[in-house]
Amino acid sequence: MLTPAELDLAKLSSEVADLEIEAERLEKTRVSLAIAAASLSFQAKSLRFIQWIRHPAKTIESWPVIAMVNGSLVAGGLVLLFIGLIYGTWDRAVFGMFLGTCAGVGLIAILLFVPSDAILSAAIPEAVAKARIRSASLQDTIVLLHVIKQRLHTRRSEHDELLASGKLQREKLLQRNWRDMRGNEWEDYLIEVCCALGANVRRTAGVGDQGVDLIVDFESRSLAVQAKGYGFPVGNSAVQEAVAGVAHYRCNASAVITNSRFTKGAKELAVSNRCILIGEDEFADFVLGKISIWA
């Protein structure tokens, strides 16, 4: 049977796995949308550039001829210069200039006449609209991806904190048959519990232990603990022994921890001597860290 902490851990692990898958999917979508948005933006800018090239034709009737002549000369000149500098032979450069000029004429002709002005006028707003839609989708995906990554970071932190908290170990300890433990078995079990709660534990010598079984150190405080694995209520003597052990072992306080209950007299004596009592009813909360004996 899984403990509540194990169920929480399993739930967190499942959420982390799902969020990782979703983050990976969104990242792929983001890359795809970024490429599409860049492509559409480039397309819109190219169409606007073509429109800009053609614009003088509205006022200059001979503009297509002027553009092709000048464009081809520029293209040929650039090819001539490039080949001449690279190969150092002007025969090749002149031939390259001829090819460049022809290519320039073809390129300018395409820019001036393909597509038609009517198609170009309709294509520009369409391309701009598509680019904006893709950009908006890209921004939405980026925002959602950021939210998913934040949630993933939170769930991973919660998962790691749960593992580091020792809660899993403490709940496992409570699943053992602690109510029926006696003698050394109960002492060994209490050592495990106190260590799981972050304390350091020392056993006393046993014989002549002045009524104290364990010395529990937590941060700057030391506790003299009488461990009672009993099948019947714990009386005054256990409290007296724990209180007496405080001075002997130079502790800050005393406690009696049992898997049974305490008599009325033991409770009254513990109150007057500030001895902490952890019995059957309080033990589960003590193990889970809800009750502190070091406060």
Side-chain angles (χ1 to χ4, degrees):
M1 179 179 178
L2 294 177
T3 66
E6 287 176 321
L7 291 173
D8 289 342
L9 187 65
K11 181 180 178 181
L12 285 170
S13 297
S14 177
E15 288 184 18
V16 167
D18 290 343
L19 288 169
E20 286 176 340
I21 293 172
E22 181 64 7
E24 184 178 358
R25 184 189 70 80
L26 286 172
E27 180 61 28
K28 290 180 179 179
T29 302
R30 184 196 67 79
V31 172
S32 176
L33 286 172
I35 293 172
S39 176
L40 288 169
S41 178
F42 177 77
Q43 181 182 353
K45 290 178 181 178
S46 298
L47 292 173
R48 281 175 171 168
F49 175 73
I50 294 173
Q51 190 179 53
W52 177 77
I53 289 290
R54 297 181 185 183
H55 183 72
K58 293 180 180 181
T59 55
I60 304 174
E61 186 177 351
S62 60
W63 173 248
V65 176
I66 296 172
M68 283 191 285
V69 170
N70 286 282
S72 61
L73 290 176
V74 170
L78 290 174
V79 173
L80 174 69
L81 181 62
F82 177 77
I83 295 178
L85 292 174
I86 295 297
Y87 295 101
T89 169
W90 294 106
D91 293 338
R92 291 184 179 181
V94 171
F95 180 71
M97 178 182 177
F98 172 75
L99 294 178
T101 301
C102 294
V105 171
L107 177 61
I108 297 299
I110 291 173
L111 292 176
L112 290 172
F113 302 110
V114 180
S116 66
D117 290 340
I119 294 176
L120 180 63
S121 297
I124 291 175
E126 183 181 353
V128 170
K130 287 182 178 179
R132 287 176 178 172
I133 292 172
R134 285 291 186 277
S135 295
S137 298
L138 175 60
Q139 290 305 314
D140 291 342
T141 301
I142 290 173
V143 171
L144 182 57
L145 179 60
H146 178 69
V147 171
I148 292 298
K149 285 185 175 181
Q150 281 189 323
R151 193 178 301 168
L152 177 59
H153 175 73
T154 300
R155 292 296 180 269
R156 281 174 174 167
S157 297
E158 291 174 354
H159 180 275
D160 294 342
E161 286 173 6
L162 181 56
L163 285 176
S165 69
K167 189 176 180 181
L168 290 168
Q169 181 185 0
R170 296 197 298 271
E171 288 187 353
K172 279 293 187 182
L173 285 170
L174 279 177
Q175 286 189 327
R176 287 158 63 177
N177 190 22
W178 55 271
R179 287 182 176 83
D180 292 332
M181 292 181 182
R182 301 290 181 266
N184 289 335
E185 183 184 15
W186 177 245
E187 287 185 21
D188 292 339
Y189 179 69
L190 283 185
I191 290 174
E192 288 186 64
V193 168
C194 291
C195 288
L197 288 167
N200 294 317
V201 186
R202 294 174 284 140
R203 288 184 186 274
T204 56
V207 179
D209 58 13
Q210 304 300 321
V212 174
D213 300 308
L214 306 172
I215 305 299
V216 180
D217 298 316
F218 184 79
E219 295 181 351
S220 60
R221 293 178 61 81
S222 293
L223 201 69
V225 176
Q226 177 70 275
K228 292 295 183 183
Y230 273 16
F232 49 87
V234 178
N236 291 22
S237 60
V239 177
Q240 292 170 348
E241 291 172 347
V243 171
V246 171
H248 182 76
Y249 290 103
R250 298 179 180 179
C251 294
N252 302 105
S254 61
V256 180
I257 305 178
T258 181
N259 53 3
S260 181
R261 298 175 181 270
F262 294 96
T263 64
K264 180 180 179 181
K267 293 178 181 179
E268 292 174 349
L269 184 62
V271 171
S272 61
N273 288 275
R274 296 182 179 178
C275 179
I276 301 166
L277 300 183
I278 300 293
E280 179 183 17
D281 294 335
E282 302 83 18
F283 188 72
D285 286 340
F286 165 63
V287 175
L288 294 175
K290 298 178 181 179
I291 295 177
S292 175
I293 59 176
W294 297 286

